[in-house]
């Protein structure tokens, strides 16, 4: 369904016909309308376009008897749309979008369809595509954790940029099509990057000045949340009331769980810049990792295992903190989202 051309390439050396020419691949001999974009046209059906798009339906109805004709069909001229983008849009109208893979390599094509379905108010296709993007830029914590697992390879190396489109591309698309439900997770994803990478990785696209300020404010809020979590729930943490080590005669054994939490605190602080896990500035992961350290055997972390009672008590705190963190993302990044999990 989708060719491999670059929908963002508007250079004249792609297509330079002298007269309008049928676009190869999508025209119907029984079509009763010619859509002209640049030097290419598509023979399509007025009824189908009018049914799916009120904007195009109004434009078709406004055509007069004195309009231009191509192959005996009235011509609807659409400005500021390349032939390649129109091809993608028409394929979506005729074939649907259920078979589109949501990958890094298809993002430009999905974005092109989304921009045109938004412009022409093709609501059902637009909604289907936004819903598809929500799998990678979710509005709830459970789906975010699933997304992060997909970005981690079999060697436990986190490689999101190899799987997902750059968040700057997603943020700019969301502002173009008014899809705020995707923005908090995209902003949070970007906020975890080293600031120099924010500028370097997404060139030639960049954030607007306002979006950049929202990113920096949100990044600061997230960092403060992690610092507060460490101070309130890890540093100097005392064992649970029913800790199984509390009746040990040896002081060192009595302090087993307290020592474990001290070691976890040190490790979280040591990895604040991504030195250990390559998860630079990722408070949501750091909070989760403070619990995972207690249950995952690691020969390099032999002292991170408190008793089950202390671990269970801490697990409840971690779950609550992560839910609270996620709930605050729209506010931190200055985004109004009607419904946020």
């Amino acid at each position: 369904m989708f060719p491999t051309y670059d929908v963002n390439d508007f250079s004249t050396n792609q297509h330079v016909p002298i007269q309008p020419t049928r676009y190869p691949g999508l025209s119907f001999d029984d079509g009763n309308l010619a859509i002209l974009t640049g030097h290419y046209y598509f023979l399509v059906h007025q009824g189908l376009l009018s049914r799916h798009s009120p904007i195009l339906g109004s434009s078709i109805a406004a055509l007069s008897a004195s309009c231009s004709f191509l192959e005996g069909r009235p011509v609807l001229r659409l400005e500021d749309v390349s032939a390649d983008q129109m091809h993608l849009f028409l394929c979506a109208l005729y074939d649907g979008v259920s078979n589109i893979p949501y990958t890094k390599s298809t993002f430009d094509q999905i974005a092109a369809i989304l921009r045109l379905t938004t412009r022409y108010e093709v609501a059902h296709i637009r909604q289907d595509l936004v819903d598809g993007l929500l799998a990678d830029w979710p509005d709830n914590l459970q789906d975010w954790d699933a997304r992060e697992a997909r970005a981690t390879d079999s060697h436990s190396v986190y490689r999101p940029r190899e799987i997902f489109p750059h968040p700057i591309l997603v943020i700019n698309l969301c502002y173009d099509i008014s899809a705020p439900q995707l923005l908090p997770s995209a902003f949070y994803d970007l906020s975890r990057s080293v600031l120099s990478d924010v500028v370097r990785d997404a060139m030639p696209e960049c954030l607007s000045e306002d979006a950049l300020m929202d990113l920096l404010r949100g990044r600061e809020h997230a960092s403060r949340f992690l610092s507060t979590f460490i101070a309130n729930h890890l540093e100097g943490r005392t064992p649970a009331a029913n800790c199984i080590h509390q009746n040990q005669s040896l002081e060192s054994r009595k302090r087993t769980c307290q020592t474990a939490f001290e070691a976890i605190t040190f490790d979280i602080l040591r990895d604040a810049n991504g030195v250990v896990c390559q998860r630079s500035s990722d408070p949501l992961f750091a909070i989760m990792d403070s619990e995972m350290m207690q249950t995952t055997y690691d020969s390099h972390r032999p002292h991170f295992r408190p008793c089950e009672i202390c671990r269970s008590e801490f697990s409840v705190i971690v779950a609550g903190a992560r839910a609270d963190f996620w709930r605050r993302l729209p506010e931190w990044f200055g985004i109004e989202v009607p419904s946020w999990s």
Side-chain angles (χ1 to χ4, degrees), residues 2-272:
F2 293 106
T4 58
Y5 46 68
D6 182 356
V7 299
N8 295 313
D9 186 354
F10 298 98
S11 62
T12 55
N13 61 0
Q14 277 196 332
H15 312 296
V16 199
I18 298 175
Q19 297 296 328
T21 304
R22 269 203 201 191
Y23 189 94
L26 197 149
S27 275
F28 301 92
D29 290 337
D30 65 344
N32 57 0
L33 177 72
I35 291 183
L36 180 62
T37 58
H39 296 295
Y40 281 90
Y41 65 91
F42 304 81
L43 298 184
V44 293
H45 302 91
Q46 296 184 26
L48 182 137
L49 267 64
S50 297
R51 175 177 175 80
H52 290 294
S53 168
I55 300 298
L56 292 177
S58 297
S59 298
I60 292 169
L63 292 174
S64 66
S66 60
C67 70
S68 302
F69 286 78
L70 281 170
E71 297 192 37
R73 283 83 164 181
V75 174
L76 176 63
R77 296 177 181 271
L78 296 178
E79 305 295 337
D80 302 323
V81 182
S82 74
D84 293 342
Q85 292 169 331
M86 179 54 59
H87 180 222
L88 292 170
F89 172 73
L90 291 173
C91 283
L93 283 185
Y94 277 93
D95 301 333
V97 295
S98 60
N99 293 324
I100 298 179
Y102 291 85
T103 65
K104 179 179 179 178
S105 61
T106 62
F107 178 77
D108 283 347
Q109 296 167 4
I110 292 170
I113 299 172
L114 266 170
R115 287 186 168 97
L116 291 185
T117 53
T118 299
R119 177 187 299 184
Y120 299 129
E121 297 182 4
V122 186
H124 65 289
I125 293 180
R126 170 196 152 88
Q127 189 59 54
D128 287 346
L129 292 173
V130 170
D131 289 345
L133 290 176
L134 276 169
D136 293 339
W137 312 95
D139 60 358
N140 66 85
L141 182 55
Q142 181 178 356
D143 287 346
W144 175 263
D145 287 341
R147 179 244 200 215
E148 295 293 86
R150 294 197 304 275
T152 305
D153 66 18
S154 58
H155 302 289
S156 298
V157 178
Y158 184 60
R159 302 182 184 276
R161 295 294 179 265
E162 296 179 11
I163 299 175
F164 307 118
H166 198 284
I168 286 181
L169 303 178
V170 178
I171 290 168
N172 288 341
L173 172 65
C174 290
Y175 282 126
D176 287 347
I177 67 171
S178 299
Q181 62 269 48
L182 302 171
L183 281 171
S185 57
F187 265 109
Y188 178 62
D189 185 18
L190 185 60
S191 74
R192 303 178 300 172
S193 301
V194 178
L195 290 180
S196 59
D197 293 344
V198 172
V199 177
R200 182 193 65 201
D201 289 351
M203 297 299 289
E205 288 215 27
C206 60
L207 292 178
S208 68
E209 183 175 338
D210 288 344
L212 180 59
M213 294 305 298
D214 288 338
L215 172 69
L216 295 177
R217 280 191 290 267
R219 178 186 173 100
E220 179 63 22
H221 281 300
S223 177
R224 289 181 180 178
F225 188 99
L226 177 59
S227 298
T228 301
F229 172 83
I230 292 173
N232 290 348
H233 301 298
L234 275 174
E235 289 181 345
R237 182 174 184 80
T238 57
N242 297 322
C243 174
I244 64 174
H245 299 294
Q246 64 178 341
N247 295 322
Q248 292 283 347
S249 57
L250 291 177
E251 184 64 24
S252 59
R253 291 186 178 181
K254 186 179 294 188
R255 296 188 72 258
T256 296
C257 294
Q258 187 172 349
T259 300
F261 284 114
E262 289 172 354
I264 291 168
T265 302
F266 175 76
D267 207 63
I268 292 293
L269 293 174
R270 187 164 65 99
D271 198 31

Side-chain angles (χ1 to χ4, degrees), residues 284-300:
L284 200 56
F285 174 79
I287 295 171
M288 179 176 66
D289 196 37
S290 68
E291 180 187 4
M292 290 194 303
M293 291 180 197
Q294 305 172 31
T295 58
T296 304
Y297 176 75
D298 188 338
S299 59
H300 299 292

